[in-house]
Amino acid sequence: MEISSLKLVYFSPTGTTQAVVNGIASGIHCNRVEQLDITRPSTREEPLSLSEKELLIIGLPVYMGRVPALLTDWLQMMKAVNTPAVCVVVYGNRVYEDALLELTDFVRGAGCNPIAGAAYIGEHSFSSPQTPTAEGRPDAADLQHATEFGRKISEKLASLSSPMIPDLSIPGCHPYRGDSKLWVVDFIAVSDACIGCNVCVDSCPTGAIDPEDPRQIRIEACITCCACIKKCPEHARMMKPGLVRDASVRLSTLYTERKVPELFL
């Protein structure tokens, strides 16, 4: 199967999913590569259209074992014509449950032909220096693994003919387990170190932070991705005592064993 271009699509508030998707792409030799970062709300206003000559690599983080709920409308608007696709989820060393299956179902429903899937590990959103979970991941070993995965995808593409793409088997359950709705919780404290630089505003994937006063957060819009905490150059944002910080401690205690990427070809 000949591919004229790579289309890299990712939702990546803290950069981990973007790193994995680019790692996979580095193992696929293609002269034309387009990237679509759908993290910011404005980038999800238009539907994605794909042709059969493109290879889609789409990567999403796992939230509560599922695809992030705020992306379902955009995913349902995708339109493709027998586009080969690679589905990738990135989870914080806990479990990815049905997220990869759910993403594959969305992609298949849009008209794509999934040819490969993967579950990689990234530093958990709730990870902190005090309560680390999968700290620093994806690391160099993960990214090398992703590049090798890209090479395997290239080999599979070379062996395929368009009408003869076998069905890809992905683990998971129908109906999907768990609830894709996230906690609605006031968990971010802002210290006097805040200088109003608005890095947090620009990092927020839902526009939940008030650009006129970054201390103000629309709690109902927050998806607890913690991008604003991790990217604050003044370290002025932190978790308050409560539900999210308690979860951070549990994750750091219970999920210390290094998990490895899983590939489906």
Side-chain angles (χ1 to χ4, degrees):
M1 178 183 294
E2 293 187 6
I3 296 298
S4 62
S5 66
L6 277 179
K7 179 80 78 171
L8 311 183
V9 178
Y10 45 83
F11 178 85
S12 189
T14 59
T16 56
T17 302
Q18 179 182 2
V20 170
V21 168
N22 278 286
I24 295 168
S26 70
I28 303 171
H29 298 295
C30 187
N31 291 329
R32 185 179 174 194
V33 180
E34 295 180 52
Q35 302 211 23
L36 176 59
D37 182 351
I38 59 169
T39 306
R40 295 286 293 156
S42 60
T43 62
R44 303 190 297 272
E45 293 175 355
E46 299 294 330
L48 177 65
S49 296
L50 299 155
S51 75
E52 62 183 346
K53 292 299 183 180
E54 296 176 286
L55 172 63
L56 170 66
I57 305 178
I58 182 168
L60 304 180
V62 177
Y63 288 176
M64 303 292 195
R66 299 281 301 278
V67 164
L70 84 162
L71 299 180
T72 56
D73 288 345
W74 186 86
L75 289 167
Q76 288 171 339
M77 291 192 297
M78 280 198 314
K79 298 294 181 185
V81 181
N82 296 321
T83 306
V86 178
C87 299
V88 182
V89 296
V90 177
Y91 70 106
N93 208 55
R94 189 181 73 89
V95 289
Y96 63 91
E97 292 184 316
D98 298 325
L100 183 57
L101 176 63
E102 187 178 11
L103 176 57
T104 305
D105 288 343
F106 274 120
V107 166
R108 187 178 283 120
C112 294
N113 288 323
I115 63 165
Y120 277 84
I121 297 84
E123 182 169 331
H124 200 284
S125 296
F126 295 175
S127 175
S128 72
Q130 296 76 32
T131 55
T133 304
E135 187 176 22
R137 298 188 71 183
D139 55 20
D142 293 315
L143 296 178
Q144 180 59 40
H145 188 285
T147 300
E148 291 297 328
F149 180 41
R151 295 192 181 109
K152 292 177 182 178
I153 292 166
S154 288
E155 292 171 1
K156 183 169 183 176
L157 279 170
S159 70
L160 292 174
S161 58
S162 295
M164 298 291 292
I165 298 178
D167 193 36
L168 183 68
S169 179
I170 297 293
C173 295
H174 291 115
Y176 309 126
R177 292 164 288 182
D179 188 344
S180 61
K181 293 181 180 178
L182 301 175
W183 296 335
V184 178
V185 58
D186 178 7
F187 77 102
I188 297 174
V190 183
S191 75
D192 291 339
C194 175
I195 60 173
C197 66
N198 278 7
V199 168
C200 57
V201 174
D202 294 335
S203 301
C204 181
T206 63
I209 302 172
D210 186 345
E212 300 299 323
D213 182 3
R215 296 170 182 271
Q216 301 301 315
I217 303 167
R218 291 188 296 116
I219 303 303
E220 69 280 1
C222 176
I223 60 170
T224 63
C225 70
C226 297
C228 64
I229 294 176
K230 293 177 182 291
K231 294 184 178 182
C232 177
E234 303 300 323
H235 307 289
R237 303 175 81 87
M238 61 209 76
M239 293 181 186
K240 297 177 180 178
L243 187 66
V244 175
R245 197 159 86 178
D246 290 348
S248 177
V249 172
R250 287 197 305 274
L251 289 163
S252 182
T253 303
L254 297 174
Y255 299 100
T256 57
E257 182 180 351
R258 180 185 175 93
K259 294 191 175 180
V260 297
E262 296 180 46
L263 307 182
F264 305 93
L265 284 156

